[in-house]
Amino acid sequence: MTLSYRDIAAVVDEHFPEFSGPIDEHTTFDDLSFDSLVLVELGSILSARYAIDVAEEDMVAAHTFQGVADLVNRLRVDDVATA
């Protein structure tokens, strides 16, 4: 299953309803006023949900919700390839 920005938005809606709003593939964390603590928490949730290791700096570099989906997809493939 390949994730999209919609999957990341669903996690945000579930765990951070105060940041819910219109989200598309170009929505950035700044658009929703995410701070570094929210990024760390989101990375931790994604790490646990998808059995991967998401680093804070990778979350920041991803910049958009689709970027985070692409990051998670890439980490999941990398984990399968090294297993």
Side-chain angles (χ1 to χ4, degrees), residues 9-36:
V11 172
V12 170
D13 287 345
E14 178 183 346
H15 293 278
F16 307 100
E18 65 274 24
F19 294 104
S20 293
I23 295 174
D24 65 29
E25 65 270 17
H26 305 293
T27 303
T28 68
F29 301 120
D30 289 338
D31 291 340
L32 298 181
S33 301
F34 275 33
D35 61 19
S36 60

Side-chain angles (χ1 to χ4, degrees), residues 27-30 34-43 46 54-65 67-68 71 74:
T27 303
T28 68
F29 301 120
D30 289 338
F34 275 33
D35 61 19
S36 60
L37 181 57
V38 174
L39 280 179
V40 168
E41 290 180 27
L42 179 58
L46 294 172
V54 180
E56 179 183 3
E57 57 270 10
D58 293 336
M59 292 287 292
V60 171
H63 190 65
T64 66
F65 278 72
V68 171
L71 170 66
R74 188 169 54 253

